[in-house]
Amino acid sequence: MVKTGSVPGASSDSKVFIKLYGEKGDTSKQPLVVSDNDLRNYFEQGRVDVFIIETMDIGKLNRLLIGHDNVGLRAGWFLDSVQVKVPTHGKVYMFPAHRWLCRDESDGKTEIEIYPSEITEIEKLINYEVEVHTGDISGAGTDAKVFIQIYGEHGKTELISLRSRSDNFERGATELYKIEAMNVGKLIKLRIGHDGSGVAPGWFLESVTINRLNFRAVEDDKKKKKKKKKVEGDADAKQEEIMETYTFNCQRWLASDEGDRELVVELLPEDADDLEENSYMVHVFTGNVMGAGTDANVFINIYGETTDTGERRLKNSNQFNKFERGQEDIFLVKAIDLGVLKKLRIRHDNSGGYAAWFLDRVEIADGKDDTTYFFPCERWLAVDEDDGQTARELVPVDEAFLKKDLDTDEQSQATLGLEQKAQSTTYTMRVKTGEKKNAGTDANVFIILFGEKDDTGIVNLKASKTHKNKFEKGNIDEFTVEAVDIGALKKIRIGHDNRGGCAGWFLDWVEIDAPSLGQLLRFPCGRWLDKSEDDGYIVRDLFPADLQTKDYVPFVPYEITVYTSDIYGAGTDADVFIVLYGRDGICTHQKSLCVNKRERRMYFARDAVNKFIVELEDVGECIEKVRIGHDGRGINSGWHLDRVDIRRLLPKGKGSETITFPCERWLAKSEDDGEIIRELVPLEIIQKKLLKDGTLKHTETTVEDALETHTYKISVYTGDVYRAGTDANVFLTIYGDLGDTGERKLSKSESHTNKFERDQVDTFTIEAVDLGQVFKIKIRHDNSMASPDWYLEKVEVIDVDLEENYLFMCERWLSKAKEDKRIERILFVKGYEGDRTSVHSSSKSLHGSSLSLRNVNNSALTKKGKRKSMIEDTIEEGPTIPYHITITTGLEREAGTNSRAYVIIMGPLKIHTSRMWLELPEGKKGFVPGSMEKFQVMGMDVGEIKKIELGHDGATPESCWLVEEIEVSVPTKGIMYVFQCKCWLAKDRGDGLTAQVFSILDAENVQIGQKVPYEITMVTGDTPNGGTDANIYMSVFGANGSTEETLLDKNGDRFERGQEDTFNMVIADIAPLRKIRIRTDAKGNRPDWFLDKVIMLNQSTEEMTTFTYNDWLSKTRGTKRSTICELAAVIDGEEMVEKTTYIISVKTSDVSGAGTDANVSLIIFGEHGDTGTLALKQSNNSNKFERKCMDIFKFMDMLSLGHLSKVRVWHDNKGPAAGWHLEFIEVKDETMEETFRFPCDRWLAKSEDDGQIIRELPCANNDFLDLSERTRYEILTVTSDRDDAETKENVWVMFEGKKGRSKEFTLENSSKKKKFLRGARDKFEFSSKNVGDIATICVGHCPRDGRKFTSKNDVEWHVKEIIVTEKELGNKYVFQCNAKITLSHKRDEFKAFECSKIIESFTSKVRSLVPVKYEIIVITGDVKGAGTDANVSITIYGTNGDTGNRMLKQKFRNLFERGHTDRFILEVLDLGELHKVKIEHDSSSANAGWMLERVEITNTATGVSTIFPCGKWLDKKKGDGLTFRELFPKY
């Protein structure tokens, strides 16, 4: 298949040739001159030409050469791709080209070699040679279209047309055809016939000979056979090629005016003795209902145990006018003996004036053994009746059921219908017409479903359930097809007859849902079925897309019989629906019993008995209750229901059971209690069991322990706020552990005529079968009427029978205009502690049922060895970790996709995660060109990542995706990989693949700091109006640092009164935790929040920390009247931080103009984090910060920071004299009774010194002398917890540090105090010279003094970890060893380990806090619109803390222009090693969007430069829409 590109001028008039190279050889250059699809003008723009080349077997293809002779007016050619299909190998090779073959374009080449990008498996076919001998008698030849079908021991081939370009089937001629078809094993029979078309269709067929090559295993004997030998599988099993020949003699006419007037004949091979032809008398009974007869052509196919008759037209009846109402038509069908009949397929072609046909039944008499088979139907085969099908598959019924039904003629249809339904599969097909111009078709569309065992035959798609005008542009049409036992679907064939004004059709996809199999398959197409487009084909074979297959719990058939009462006005025209409930609240989805208005008018009349067979979810052995109701529409909607019977089959076809649900009540708004929904419980069960002797045994039992019907009183409290009431219709669903009420409209309030008004309580009564323990309600309104907005305070549900009360707090708006703009709320009962995930469950049920869909990524697709992924399967169970994935889509026109994307992460030894789907947030339909989408997925920890696979489930040429860049962050490992991909994931772009594997070697590795997973639980207090809409931010402080402020996602229903909300987060490894800071932005309809407590669980160590508040975060409520709070950590009942009062003394210098009128703020930093911003407002002086004055500020009830390290102080530069000269700040911690001094003696002024109005001041208390030369070291050894880990001997260690090497320290063992036992932690302490920061430790294993050892028994010590603590500063050095140290006398036998982690002490950190100037260079990108006029600020993070947010400004300069470099100097306390930069702008100008290339920061004291690459937009309208970036260093 040669596809010419769609670029202008792509067509070529040159002669094209191809050469294939395989593993066993290559072909000659083959000219492509005669195409199979004959588009007349070859190699035209956007078209596909199909050529068939016969060559010797060259094995697996590895490349091809394609080119042209460059002759003709339009010689140049744009080749898109070549697809090579080798049916005998069962493979399709895709060769992408996407290039010019032209002297004047690109590289000027006119021929190229291409390598395959993808090899896919298809069904393997073999070659057959068919010789057809036409008889040598007058008029023997035919002009009709001839077809054959071959049957073998392993099945049958498809129907194959015999056609060639010459004049076929002439008198006395022998024609030879080479065909490729399925290997059916030893041939059993051949069916051959023609369609009776043409001028002289009558044909006298002499015989047919079929030759095929087969392989036969031969013993390795000494005889040298001349035949070519082949080795397949193992070398011992020799196979030889043999030619098998089958001759089928016919010597008869296939003509409508000769012999038996049949056009189809079945032939047996010459040597077949075991089979013979049989005659079947087919009796077709047309039903006796109005309009039952048909004028259409009727076709039948009868199936036996081994073969079938093929589709035969029922032409020659005993009646002159066939298929008339109440008539019996008899036909003779001759076929090779079928054995016991299993099913039949009957259809009509919908032709003629009156095509609709009501078929009563078919009886088939087997002429050989006098058996009669009874196939009941009693259904319409009509486009506008029943389910719209014009084909039915019927199964024969058991005689026991048959006798029972002949007595009561009334019930036969439905009784047999259930048995037939159980044997058949209903396929619901959705056919999507593409969105292209003129995509729709007026032609007649047909489909054939091919299963592993059989196919459905031609099904005409006439009756769409969704659109009257079928197959229009962008529409999805739904059809139903029933088939009996065709096996798992492997492909479909869909096409049209090219009739009508606009026949060309662009088919997007076909989706087939088989509820009884529990499978939904998607067959992508994305191509034209049009004579004048693409390859000109109007019939296509489509295969299921593995990644789009969905599996769910299979459905089962139920027969539902509805008895309407015999009283005046009992009938209804409304839409009646039903829901079945099993145990534990398992239920089916709500099912309407009538398909359309016509059925609603026909059914549910007074005293009527209506039977329906429906497929619904399996609710288990016991049906606890049914809910039946109607929508109250139609002229006579009131309905008096007598009872409902539900019948279902017992397992293994052993009979059935019927459950009776009595009602005997009105479902009417104007009768009884006005309800139009009733819940019914079972009264009795009738079982009919089929015994071994073929008789039916009846048993009737009364249901003893049926659930009772309860009365529920519902009180709805509307809130007392302005315009709280609503006029909309309100609906309620109550959920209990035994089931739910279904949605009920709250229509008649027992307390008020005008419902749901402000500060009003409305009471309603609902009858429902016992719900058990009520735990949840769903309440909504339909947003109708003038003022639909509604403020609901709470709902109270009282179970009157059990006298139980359930309270559901809401205190929220149900409004499209307020709060989160939702008009539906799910509320949990007060004090509920169960799972709340159902509130926003992402797995949408396929049928909206309670049995949710399992979107099977892995297990379901392994059937039949389908290709699941580009990697081998070694998915192991293990701990899961979060992966953060960011995908940037390219900017080209068709770069985006609506397909679902996935990622698979691979580690060493072929271990990999499962396929992790990247679900876009609500409202986003796909990946838009230029977009940047972020995802967080949980997957298995694969260890060191080696590769990642990115792909999507789009299988059509349309679903192309250009991926620009992928970022994969692994927070728990502290690493991010950036892949610059710039590759297409598309069938018709790039290399034709929709998935790519990227090696980590091609990625840029970025260190982002290791994080630890925490589970955080926020508890909102059970206080009136305690819930909030405000944004909530949290910062965490630990002994080893702090986190940045994080926004906690509201996610619809979090932070509501009395609720516990759980978050999974990864935060820096700062444990043990000291305190948290919670802040709200006090925005939204409900800005106030009552926070009870916060619980943090470290998921690695299982350590739980509690933070209790129990107060309001509010400007107007509570004791603190604050929207920010700090909470001390409580671990095992112990508070980690004490409360204190800070007294801050601020001394303004004695310098001219030293005082300021600006507003001053500061942040104090210490061991336990920082204080947050403290505004210095209320001083002991009325006029603050005057020259030579000391201002004292008191901050009560603060959490102590322990020893202080620094202060960050600044002012807002407001007021007439803003410049300020600060002498020092003193901070007194009253609890510790210690004062910390922070000298400054510098200006904070725009016009003085370096122009900075923010300063960081180190604590002067820590300025003690340099460390002494000597120090003490504590060495902690951890022996492994293994059987052979321990040792009785000594261990020695030696350190190497920045200042030198230590002496050897011997870690003594003794018989009294044993050390180094299995799993033991042993401490040793030594005095030594100070070696500085320890980089390496050497560990040896030596015998104890005076002990001898022989080298025969290898003594080893298995050390897990060594931790060295330098005692003076308290720095810890951790060495992860996990090694065996062998015992040795020699001191040169040891193992060295590098330091894996340094835990720097607070004292050590404080010593390094000296002022340093940093040079910041900001480089703006050189692309259109790269510059910004917005205000830019930066925060720099290092090992010693951060700078805080600093504005990047310079006087009289236009900063951040396209392609420019801007320099800034910032003086801060030494940050240590830089590990992150956060840069942002405030979007304050019209052209705020900014393309930042990179940031370079140099420590001017050490000269060390760190580069932070960016290369991304900070723009609300581009990429991910963010105006800030976190940048990590590139080393």
Side-chain angles (χ1 to χ4, degrees), residues 395-406:
V395 289
V397 296
D398 195 281
E399 222 164 341
F401 291 114
L402 183 56
K403 283 175 189 160
K404 175 174 76 72
D405 292 322
L406 288 177

Side-chain angles (χ1 to χ4, degrees), residues 1151-1418:
V1151 178
S1152 173
T1156 183
D1157 300 328
N1159 299 305
V1160 177
S1161 305
L1162 57 72
I1163 303 174
I1164 308 169
F1165 295 84
E1167 274 180 289
H1168 307 323
D1170 63 64
T1171 58
T1173 302
L1174 302 177
L1176 301 183
K1177 285 183 179 174
Q1178 290 177 332
S1179 161
N1180 55 334
N1181 300 320
S1182 56
N1183 196 358
K1184 304 187 294 285
F1185 311 122
E1186 290 304 301
R1187 175 177 172 177
K1188 206 179 170 182
C1189 281
M1190 175 81 85
D1191 292 280
I1192 297 171
F1193 304 87
K1194 210 169 190 180
F1195 290 91
M1196 323 262 289
D1197 224 11
M1198 300 281 287
L1199 291 180
S1200 171
L1201 298 173
H1203 287 280
L1204 304 187
S1205 56
K1206 69 175 181 180
V1207 159
R1208 184 180 301 146
V1209 62
W1210 70 95
H1211 63 75
D1212 61 3
N1213 207 41
K1214 297 230 172 111
W1220 182 37
H1221 197 287
L1222 170 65
E1223 190 171 330
F1224 66 82
I1225 295 175
E1226 274 185 356
V1227 180
K1228 184 180 181 188
D1229 184 327
E1230 289 209 326
T1231 307
M1232 287 173 69
E1233 295 181 353
E1234 197 167 338
T1235 302
F1236 301 89
R1237 187 181 174 90
F1238 301 90
C1240 175
D1241 201 23
R1242 289 187 72 176
W1243 283 98
L1244 283 80
K1246 290 272 187 188
S1247 54
E1248 301 280 353
D1249 202 339
D1250 58 1
Q1252 291 196 50
I1253 56 170
I1254 179 168
R1255 297 255 175 244
E1256 288 198 341
L1257 315 177
C1259 182
N1261 297 35
N1262 302 305
D1263 290 352
F1264 49 79
L1265 292 169
D1266 266 358
L1267 295 171
S1268 59
E1269 285 296 305
R1270 296 194 67 75
T1271 183
R1272 290 190 71 74
Y1273 288 104
E1274 180 190 275
I1275 300 168
L1276 171 73
T1277 63
V1278 183
T1279 305
S1280 295
D1281 192 15
R1282 296 166 43 143
D1283 291 341
D1284 56 349
E1286 60 190 55
T1287 180
K1288 293 174 181 170
E1289 308 301 330
N1290 289 345
V1291 171
W1292 63 268
V1293 296
M1294 188 174 72
F1295 317 142
E1296 278 194 28
K1298 286 186 177 174
K1299 294 183 183 173
R1301 181 184 294 182
S1302 73
K1303 62 178 187 187
E1304 284 177 15
F1305 304 118
T1306 304
L1307 313 184
E1308 295 274 354
N1309 207 342
S1310 71
S1311 47
K1312 287 181 182 176
K1313 285 191 175 178
K1314 289 183 180 174
K1315 306 275 188 188
F1316 315 123
L1317 296 175
R1318 172 181 170 179
R1321 298 168 73 87
D1322 299 299
K1323 272 187 190 172
F1324 304 87
E1325 205 168 294
F1326 298 96
S1327 174
S1328 161
K1329 72 170 187 180
N1330 193 335
V1331 298
D1333 281 342
I1334 304 171
T1336 312
I1337 186 172
C1338 305
V1339 184
H1341 187 188
C1342 57
R1344 270 163 48 194
D1345 289 344
R1347 288 182 55 137
K1348 291 180 182 176
F1349 80 98
T1350 52
S1351 57
K1352 285 178 188 173
N1353 52 345
D1354 252 4
V1355 179
E1356 290 177 328
W1357 174 51
H1358 198 294
V1359 57
K1360 184 181 178 187
E1361 186 178 58
I1362 295 176
I1363 300 167
V1364 181
T1365 308
E1366 190 274 312
K1367 299 295 275 185
E1368 197 161 355
L1369 283 176
N1371 289 337
K1372 282 188 180 177
Y1373 303 88
V1374 181
F1375 300 87
Q1376 293 289 343
C1377 308
N1378 286 325
K1380 289 179 180 173
I1381 315 292
T1382 309
L1383 185 67
S1384 170
H1385 281 289
K1386 299 173 186 170
R1387 289 287 164 162
D1388 57 352
E1389 287 191 17
F1390 59 84
K1391 285 196 174 166
F1393 304 101
E1394 287 190 359
C1395 181
S1396 58
K1397 186 177 176 184
I1398 299 178
I1399 302 169
E1400 193 178 2
S1401 70
F1402 179 73
T1403 317
S1404 173
K1405 279 180 185 170
V1406 167
R1407 284 189 70 251
S1408 58
L1409 290 179
V1410 292
V1412 170
K1413 284 187 176 169
Y1414 287 93
E1415 182 188 47
I1416 301 167
I1417 298 173
V1418 179

Side-chain angles (χ1 to χ4, degrees), residues 479-519:
F479 304 89
T480 304
V481 176
E482 282 185 356
V484 175
D485 194 25
I486 61 169
L489 284 186
K490 58 181 184 182
K491 73 169 181 179
I492 61 172
R493 181 169 297 152
I494 190 163
H496 61 77
D497 60 2
N498 208 39
R499 292 190 181 160
C502 305
W505 183 33
F506 189 88
L507 171 62
D508 205 352
W509 46 257
V510 178
E511 199 172 72
I512 299 184
D513 184 17
S516 61
L517 305 176
Q519 197 173 54

